[in-house]
């Protein structure tokens, strides 16, 4: 039973980056201590609390977390589950630029291998792979899309190239990450880790008081990382991301079960019923394990259309609030999360 409580003052329950970063702390702290660690919140719009069997200070916790920083972020961004983010990208014509968007046959093969390693050696990669590579949503190679478009427009170039070939279907990644431009999950993970390695204070600051870095995008998890001209001292738009909190938040992705309908990627905490998708999450005050938290993230009442109709059942679940953060929309992609909003009570 956990006896020690450690408040994480910079990680608040009503903030999407703060919420995800707290789940990332739980993920890494449990791996570092090799024991069940639990998480709670002081309340709605209040800090996270980590529950451990042994006494920990914020400095000691930061040192444990920093132990998971990669020595060579560009080669292996995720030491907690090596061999996933370091996978080579498929180089077939029209293939996506993200290695996690791989041919579906390759994804099936890798998951079988990781699942076997999990059964034999308690290897963590199967759980991580299933949380980052969505095999329930696939899209064809861009080349196939372009050829289909040419055919629809009456072009004959595709027909002269020989008999038609079927498309190569590629998996999607987790929708918690919104790629724009040349962003991939691997290079965003590597960038956050690289900045944390370059300045030791970033990991501890993620727990106590965030340090913002100019020209760092923050993996599109935080609306405050995008500063418009009116909000900056020199009158120019600037990125102001938080490397430490972002690096921890990326580790939270392991807590979300991916879902999909073959054409749209989602998670069990993802609302796709509106124009722009949104992350919906519960807030609780009891000390909960990773398994219990995952059950809450997946509970249907958390995503009810009108949670006010379920005051008593939600209270019986131990919840003190439900929050949501909607994705912003850029010109050609999704952008950072909007500020967190309280849906209930």
């Amino acid at each position: 039973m956990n006896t020690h409580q450690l408040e994480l003052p910079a990680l608040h329950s009503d903030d999407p980056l703060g919420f995800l970063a707290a789940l990332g702390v739980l993920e890494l702290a449990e791996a570092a201590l090799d024991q069940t660690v639990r998480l709670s919140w002081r309340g709605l719009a209040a800090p996270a609390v980590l529950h451990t069997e042994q006494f920990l200070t914020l400095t000691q916790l930061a040192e444990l977390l920093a132990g998971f920083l990669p020595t060579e972020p560009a080669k292996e961004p995720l030491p907690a589950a090596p061999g996933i983010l370091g996978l080579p990208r498929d180089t077939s014509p029209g293939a996506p630029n993200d290695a996690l968007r791989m041919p579906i046959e390759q994804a099936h093969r890798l998951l079988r291998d990781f699942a076997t390693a999990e059964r034999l050696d308690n290897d963590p990669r199967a759980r991580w792979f299933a949380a980052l590579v969505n095999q329930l949503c696939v899209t064809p190679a861009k080349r196939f899309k372009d050829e289909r478009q040419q055919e629809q427009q009456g072009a004959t170039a595709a027909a002269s190239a020989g008999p038609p070939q079927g498309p190569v279907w590629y998996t999607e990644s987790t929708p918690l990450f919104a790629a724009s431009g040349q962003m991939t999950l691997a290079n965003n993970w590597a960038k956050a880790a690289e900045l944390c390695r370059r300045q030791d204070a970033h990991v501890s600051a993620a727990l106590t008081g965030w340090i913002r870095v100019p020209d760092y995008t923050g993996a599109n998890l935080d609306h405050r990382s995008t500063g418009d001209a009116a909000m900056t001292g020199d009158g120019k738009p600037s990125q102001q991301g938080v490397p430490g909190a972002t690096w921890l938040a990326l580790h939270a992705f392991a807590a979300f079960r991916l879902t999909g309908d073959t054409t749209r990627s989602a998670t069990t905490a993802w609302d796709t019923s509106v124009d722009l998708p949104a992350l919906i999450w519960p807030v609780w005050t009891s000390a909960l394990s990773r398994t219990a938290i995952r059950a809450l993230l997946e509970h249907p009442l958390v995503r009810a259309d009108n949670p006010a109709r379920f005051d008593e059942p939600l209270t019986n679940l131990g919840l003190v609030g439900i929050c949501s953060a909607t994705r912003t929309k850029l010109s050609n992609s999704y952008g950072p999360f909007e500020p967190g909003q309280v849906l209930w009570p």
Side-chain angles (χ1 to χ4, degrees), residues 128-218:
W128 273 100
F129 187 83
L132 300 180
V133 179
N134 194 342
Q135 299 170 61
L136 299 178
C137 177
V138 292
T139 54
K142 184 178 184 298
R143 178 186 181 186
F144 179 77
K145 291 180 183 178
D146 293 343
E147 289 175 353
R148 287 293 299 273
Q149 185 176 12
Q150 287 178 344
E151 291 172 3
Q152 292 167 0
Q153 295 171 349
T156 59
S160 64
Q165 301 293 321
V168 177
W169 294 95
Y170 289 89
T171 60
E172 290 289 333
S173 185
T174 170
L176 296 173
F177 173 69
S180 57
Q182 296 301 307
M183 290 171 59
T184 67
L185 190 55
N187 64 30
N188 270 256
W189 213 301
K191 182 61 175 179
E194 178 187 340
L195 290 171
C196 289
R197 283 190 61 84
R198 191 181 304 170
Q199 186 175 342
D200 294 343
H202 279 310
V203 175
S204 59
L207 309 175
T208 57
W210 293 353
I211 298 175
R212 295 195 172 272
V213 174
D215 301 321
Y216 172 58
T217 61

Side-chain angles (χ1 to χ4, degrees), residues 13-17 223-224 279 281 323-326 337-343:
S13 60
D14 62 339
D15 179 79
L17 182 59
H223 72 282
R224 290 158 296 189
L279 174 67
W281 67 92
C323 298
S324 172
T326 303
F337 285 120
E338 292 277 9
Q341 303 291 326
V342 177
L343 300 181

Side-chain angles (χ1 to χ4, degrees), residues 25 46-47 53 68 112 150 153 178 181 191 243 280 294 296 322 328:
V25 170
E53 296 176 8
F68 289 92
R112 283 195 298 269
Q150 287 178 344
Q153 295 171 349
K191 182 61 175 179
I280 298 178
R294 191 168 189 173
L296 280 184
I322 298 174
T328 56

Side-chain angles (χ1 to χ4, degrees), residues 5-7 13 40-44 46-49 51 283-285 320:
Q5 299 182 22
L6 179 64
E7 184 173 295
S13 60
S40 68
W41 304 91
R42 291 295 187 207
L44 194 57
V49 180
H51 301 253
V283 180
W284 60 93
T285 54
V320 295

